[in-house]
Amino acid sequence: MNKIKHFVHAYGEWIKHALAPLGPWGMLAFAAVDGSFLGLPLDAIFVSYVYNDRSRFLLYVLLASAGSALGSIVLYVVGHVGGEVLLRKRLSPERFEKIHASFDRHEFWALMFPAMLPPPTPFKIVVLAAAAFEMNFGHFLLAIFAGRFVRFLIEALLTLWFGPGIVTMTGNLFAHHFGWILAGAGALLVGWWIWRQRRRARAALGMDPSTSLRAGSRGRPPHTG
């Protein structure tokens, strides 16, 4: 395991130096490589870019998000061609059906939410699933970009406020308590979605207090004193 970690770190450093002449655009290329099949220590590289060039942190957030979306096109093509067969080989039937049902209900959120999460989230499996289940290509790119934007923006702000070590520490915490954190985040997301659906239903039935108040104010004659 230590040899694998050392190899990944060395490979990441080599890529970083190879892309150094590109300046900020190296972040775009690095994220694109990571977004395809070649997983790289993207968070560590992103944090180093932000920490060493703080005034352009938002540019790095945009470039990393765009690179991740562009790199995922490779997985989209693979998933679109034969992704369902690949997924059935790697996932249990129960897990496969659960992911399929999630995309049937709300495909955009089913992809954007995992895109927000750091490792060890099995994000590439979700990307393959999105392609295998024929998610709209434009929505596919937008969901990945939006999710990664949220993730990288949070990492950039943490780096600016507390230094690069806080991202590593947070990542280790997430890795060791992945199940609990994922369950908590999922519960919050489901709670928000239920609240949103109920509010829409109430508005459709004319039961939303804010809607009723606005309607009443429009129907009331102006006060003339």
Side-chain angles (χ1 to χ4, degrees), residues 57-79:
F57 80 93
L58 189 56
L59 173 63
Y60 293 120
V61 172
L62 291 170
L63 291 176
S65 304
S68 293
L70 292 174
S72 296
I73 294 176
V74 176
L75 294 177
Y76 185 90
V77 173
V78 172

Side-chain angles (χ1 to χ4, degrees), residues 188-211:
L188 289 175
L189 184 63
V190 170
W192 171 84
W193 184 80
I194 292 175
W195 170 82
R196 186 165 171 260
Q197 293 298 110
R198 288 182 175 177
R199 185 175 181 182
R200 283 184 173 181
R202 288 174 181 172
L205 295 172
M207 296 172 59
D208 192 330
S210 59
T211 304

Side-chain angles (χ1 to χ4, degrees), residues 117-153:
L117 303 177
T121 305
F123 180 61
K124 287 181 173 56
I125 291 293
V126 180
V127 173
L128 286 172
F133 302 145
E134 299 182 351
M135 182 177 182
N136 177 274
F137 184 65
H139 296 167
F140 171 85
L141 293 178
L142 182 60
I144 294 179
F145 178 85
R148 289 307 202 207
F149 183 88
V150 173
R151 168 180 160 180
F152 291 129
L153 180 61

Side-chain angles (χ1 to χ4, degrees), residues 15-189:
I15 292 290
K16 181 181 177 182
H17 290 300
L19 298 178
L22 297 178
W25 296 100
M27 186 71 256
L28 176 72
F30 195 93
V33 172
D34 175 77
S36 62
F37 274 115
L38 300 176
L40 297 173
L42 179 60
D43 297 271
I45 298 300
F46 171 77
V47 165
S48 68
Y49 269 98
V50 171
Y51 189 71
N52 294 316
D53 191 6
R54 300 186 176 199
S55 62
R56 293 193 287 187
F57 80 93
L58 189 56
L59 173 63
Y60 293 120
V61 172
L62 291 170
L63 291 176
S65 304
S68 293
L70 292 174
S72 296
I73 294 176
V74 176
L75 294 177
Y76 185 90
V77 173
V78 172
H80 193 73
V81 173
E84 185 168 339
V85 175
L86 181 62
L87 288 172
R88 288 188 180 276
K89 289 181 178 179
R90 301 194 60 178
L91 300 174
S92 66
E94 296 78 11
R95 180 65 175 162
F96 178 87
E97 292 301 331
K98 184 176 181 180
I99 294 177
H100 198 173
S102 178
F103 273 95
D104 283 342
R105 288 194 300 268
H106 34 77
E107 64 177 15
F108 186 88
W109 293 105
L111 182 59
M112 178 183 169
F113 179 65
M116 295 167 54
L117 303 177
T121 305
F123 180 61
K124 287 181 173 56
I125 291 293
V126 180
V127 173
L128 286 172
F133 302 145
E134 299 182 351
M135 182 177 182
N136 177 274
F137 184 65
H139 296 167
F140 171 85
L141 293 178
L142 182 60
I144 294 179
F145 178 85
R148 289 307 202 207
F149 183 88
V150 173
R151 168 180 160 180
F152 291 129
L153 180 61
I154 292 174
E155 289 187 0
L157 294 177
L158 287 175
T159 300
L160 294 176
W161 291 337
F162 303 107
I166 188 66
V167 175
T168 302
M169 184 178 70
T170 305
N172 291 334
L173 179 66
F174 191 92
H176 287 93
H177 302 282
F178 176 71
W180 288 106
I181 294 175
L182 188 62
L188 289 175
L189 184 63

Side-chain angles (χ1 to χ4, degrees), residues 1-9:
M1 182 62 70
N2 289 332
K3 290 183 178 180
I4 295 177
K5 290 182 178 180
H6 177 73
F7 173 78
V8 172
H9 176 74

